Amino acid sequence: MAARRRGGRKGETSPLRLIAIAAVLIGLVLVSLRLLPGSPFESTAAAQWGRGESPSDRNGTLTDRSTRPTPSPSPSPEPEPLPFEATQLDLDIDGWYGWSVLDRRSGEIIGSDNMDETSTTASLIKSWIVADYLRRTADAGQTPSDAKLDDLTRIIRDSDNERTERLYTEIGRSASIKRLLSTCDLTDSKVSSDLGWSRTELSPRDTARLGKCIADGTAAGPKWTKWLLNEMRLVRGAGDFGIRKAFPAAEAKKIAIKNGWVDRTREQEIHVNCLAIGDTWTMGVMLRYPINKGYEYGMKNCQTITEALLTTP
């Protein structure tokens, strides 16, 4: 009998090896199915691999970036209201009076029914005369001397008439008032020709506009506006009356003013006028009344009118 060959025939595979190979192949197929998108054996990791979280987020909620609500911008805070109330006054004041307040932020103007009627300015117009000189001097590339600045200080703080007359002539007299009307966009006022600066006619509304023109730098120009406003806050003596006296002392010292007062013998009247510039507003008050009542009557009533308009007196 021939001897049995060990290991079987050449090229023959044992059953155990076939089973091992089959197991490996089945494993590879299963792994492939888990990685195949849409397969019932698809794994969570495979489903997420290479994809963003849209259209479903991790919680399973449908999302769409194009339809997500855009955050609304925070609303702008409401501006602080002016300390004045728009109301028609009925005060026990002899003669004629009018008032106007301008909101420097919006340009809105409120005032009495007669806020477009004019009256002579007296010394109130000195605020423009000084501003006009300063702007034109800066535009010409020049700087006022210390002596000239001292003159301007006396005109604003002390209402010096002689210095005002010299300066008014230097800047062209009525030509300066014509510049006022065009530069500050005044609509009611009139040039007094050569009757003098004191006879310039403004309305309460245009007085408030003049205040804005000074406050925003148009009147005196960017170089000198801060200086002029500071001088107007330092008005002293007989000229320190009227609008800012209606405010608490701490606030009053921040308000720039220029007032005017004169007796008109030809008309047998006294004219008293008040200009004030606050942080967010400007105000004009004008009065005409019988000459026998004296200056203090108008000075006090300029304050009384302001007090009657304040929302928080």
Side-chain angles (χ1 to χ4, degrees):
M1 177 181 292
R4 182 178 299 173
R5 296 179 181 176
R6 295 179 181 178
R9 296 187 178 95
K10 185 178 180 180
E12 182 176 319
T13 303
S14 70
L16 290 176
R17 184 174 295 180
L18 290 174
I19 292 170
I21 293 171
V24 170
L25 291 175
I26 291 171
L28 290 174
V29 169
L30 290 174
V31 169
S32 299
L33 289 173
R34 286 173 63 81
L35 295 175
L36 183 65
S39 168
F41 298 99
E42 181 183 12
S43 70
T44 303
Q48 299 301 325
W49 182 79
R51 306 179 192 175
E53 294 186 357
S54 180
S56 297
D57 63 17
R58 291 178 179 175
N59 295 323
T61 305
L62 289 176
T63 60
D64 184 346
R65 289 187 177 90
S66 65
T67 59
R68 289 177 182 175
T70 302
S72 300
S74 299
S76 300
E78 288 292 328
E80 286 291 323
L82 296 183
F84 302 96
E85 182 180 6
T87 185
Q88 295 305 317
L89 303 180
D90 185 14
L91 303 174
D92 186 19
I93 297 176
D94 284 348
W96 173 93
Y97 66 90
W99 65 273
S100 183
V101 173
L102 184 149
D103 188 330
R104 289 175 53 188
R105 301 161 300 183
S106 66
E108 181 183 0
I109 299 175
I110 60 173
S112 55
D113 288 341
N114 60 354
M115 66 177 175
D116 60 341
E117 295 180 20
T118 64
S119 189
T120 65
T121 63
S123 293
L124 183 150
I125 200 63
K126 293 172 182 175
S127 59
W128 165 257
I129 293 172
V130 170
D132 191 34
Y133 168 80
L134 289 170
R135 186 192 69 260
R136 286 162 55 81
T137 299
D139 288 348
Q142 302 172 357
T143 300
S145 65
D146 290 343
K148 176 64 76 172
L149 287 175
D150 182 65
D151 284 345
L152 304 184
T153 290
R154 297 291 186 86
I155 291 171
I156 297 297
R157 295 192 197 182
D158 303 318
S159 210
D160 188 292
N161 287 336
E162 291 183 5
R163 286 178 169 85
T164 302
E165 185 65 25
R166 290 198 297 268
L167 185 64
Y168 187 59
T169 298
E170 182 179 344
I171 61 177
R173 299 187 70 81
S174 62
S176 175
I177 307 304
K178 291 177 182 177
R179 288 192 292 271
L180 164 63
L181 304 188
S182 59
T183 301
C184 297
D185 296 324
L186 306 190
T187 59
D188 312 320
S189 303
K190 303 173 185 177
V191 179
S192 64
S193 187
D194 281 327
L195 295 175
W197 48 266
S198 178
R199 282 277 180 179
T200 301
E201 292 191 31
L202 294 186
S203 65
R205 178 167 64 184
D206 277 353
T207 298
R209 287 169 172 157
L210 169 58
K212 178 181 181 297
C213 192
I214 293 172
D216 67 16
T218 302
K223 183 176 181 179
W224 290 102
T225 294
K226 184 177 179 180
W227 182 91
L228 177 57
L229 287 170
N230 186 62
E231 292 299 311
M232 293 174 69
R233 293 185 185 102
L234 297 174
V235 167
R236 58 199 174 190
D240 184 12
F241 64 86
I243 295 170
R244 74 177 176 187
K245 294 292 186 180
F247 290 82
E251 188 172 355
K253 68 181 182 181
K254 299 184 292 183
I255 298 175
I257 65 168
K258 192 70 189 91
N259 298 321
W261 62 104
V262 65
D263 55 333
R264 300 292 185 202
T265 55
R266 187 173 66 192
E267 294 92 343
Q268 285 296 290
E269 293 176 337
I270 289 181
H271 295 188
V272 172
N273 311 292
C274 299
L275 165 64
I277 301 171
D279 288 341
T280 58
W281 53 270
T282 64
M283 185 176 189
V285 178
M286 309 186 83
L287 302 100
R288 294 194 304 265
Y289 54 89
I291 198 170
N292 61 357
K293 289 194 170 290
Y295 294 129
E296 290 187 2
Y297 182 80
M299 293 173 175
K300 177 60 180 175
N301 279 318
C302 187
Q303 178 179 340
T304 298
I305 290 168
T306 307
E307 291 170 344
L309 295 166
L310 285 177
T311 54
T312 54

